[in-house]
Amino acid sequence: LGKRQSVSVRLSFSREVDPLGETDWLVYWLARHGETTPLRGFTVSPGIPQDDVYVPAVLGGQYTVWAQAVNSEAQPTWDTLKEAELVAVDSASITVRPFEDFVPTYDWRPVQPWEALPPGLEISMDMGTERNAARIPDGWPWTPFLTQDSQPVAFPRKRLLKVKVRVSWTVGDLLDTIASQIGWDRSRFSLVGPDGELPPTTPVRSLPLFSDYDGLYRLRVARVPSAMRDQ
């Protein structure tokens, strides 16, 4: 998963049409949905492949996969394919989804095959259905940034603070916890986001702190206590 714009499509072929392995060739190709003309050439395989095969660099969209099992002394080309003895022909419609980032919440959400998971999530795996779900864990470690007059400043002792964020918290609970860890009066600082200062009653679960990779949510201090600056 990730930001790739194309994927490799995995194909599996049944040997039911040729249980004895007597078919000479399998010809398969990818076409636009509802069409038969190859999108970019075709592949000829000796017999029915026992292992999965891959069609590389397929962009998102709807397609039709075509496959023909034929007998022919010479390897068929697109021009000679109609002259070969047709053993079986089949097609399947597929949809290729571009990869997307999974948007986590504090509730379980199903994970789709085309979604990329960020690190740090709690994951539930159903081995029976092969369906996965993920959520933000209760008590995930948040590393806040401290600013004063829109400029970054250091926490006491210049340490990197980590706070285990609880799903039941409000912004006030978060600030209380931070204040107790660094020994400051809670009234000296607040949590600000893209739209300004957040009320203490704001539920933490309503904020995208877990996915805030750009640091849009920061602690803002009105004045760093002088007794704390060099501790």
Side-chain angles (χ1 to χ4, degrees):
L1 302 179
K3 298 295 185 180
R4 290 176 293 169
Q5 299 300 313
S6 65
V7 299
S8 293
V9 176
R10 183 177 65 182
L11 303 177
S12 300
F13 298 101
S14 172
R15 297 185 63 87
E16 293 182 0
V17 298
D18 184 28
L20 301 179
E22 297 177 343
T23 299
D24 292 333
W25 310 97
L26 180 74
V27 183
Y28 60 92
W29 65 92
L30 204 65
R32 299 190 186 279
H33 180 65
E35 300 181 5
T36 58
T37 303
L39 190 61
R40 54 179 189 201
F42 61 97
T43 302
V44 181
S45 170
I48 309 296
Q50 296 185 8
D51 300 324
D52 294 346
V53 299
Y54 293 84
V55 180
V58 180
L59 298 176
Q62 292 184 309
Y63 301 92
T64 300
V65 180
W66 289 94
Q68 291 188 12
V70 299
N71 288 329
S72 173
E73 292 185 3
Q75 178 174 319
T77 65
W78 187 253
D79 293 332
T80 64
L81 183 59
K82 295 180 180 180
E83 302 172 3
E85 177 190 353
L86 182 62
V87 177
V89 61
D90 201 0
S91 65
S93 296
I94 63 172
T95 299
V96 176
R97 291 285 301 264
F99 286 106
E100 301 173 0
D101 289 330
F102 180 80
V103 179
T105 68
Y106 289 94
D107 299 313
W108 288 110
R109 282 194 58 232
V111 180
Q112 304 300 333
W114 55 84
E115 289 182 315
L117 294 178
L121 292 179
E122 183 178 359
I123 300 174
S124 173
M125 304 179 65
D126 190 328
M127 304 303 292
T129 62
E130 297 185 355
R131 294 179 179 176
N132 301 331
R135 69 178 179 184
I136 301 172
D138 190 18
W140 66 274
W142 180 50
T143 302
F145 294 95
L146 186 64
T147 61
Q148 183 183 33
D149 299 327
S150 301
Q151 297 299 318
V153 294
F155 283 101
R157 302 178 184 88
K158 302 185 185 303
R159 62 181 174 178
L160 190 64
L161 186 68
K162 286 187 179 294
V163 184
K164 291 186 176 181
V165 179
R166 299 298 179 184
V167 63
S168 60
W169 279 358
T170 63
V171 166
D173 297 325
L174 177 64
L175 296 177
D176 286 339
T177 301
I178 295 173
S180 66
Q181 289 190 26
I182 62 178
W184 285 4
D185 188 328
R186 205 281 295 268
S187 63
R188 292 186 180 275
F189 58 94
S190 58
L191 181 66
V192 296
D195 298 323
E197 184 175 328
L198 295 164
T201 56
T202 304
V204 166
R205 66 179 298 143
S206 68
L207 305 175
L209 290 181
F210 187 88
S211 304
D212 183 26
Y213 306 117
D214 297 324
L216 299 178
Y217 290 83
R218 296 170 175 259
L219 296 175
R220 182 173 64 192
V221 61
R223 181 176 60 85
V224 177
S226 57
M228 289 294 184
R229 288 175 183 169
D230 300 324
Q231 293 184 14

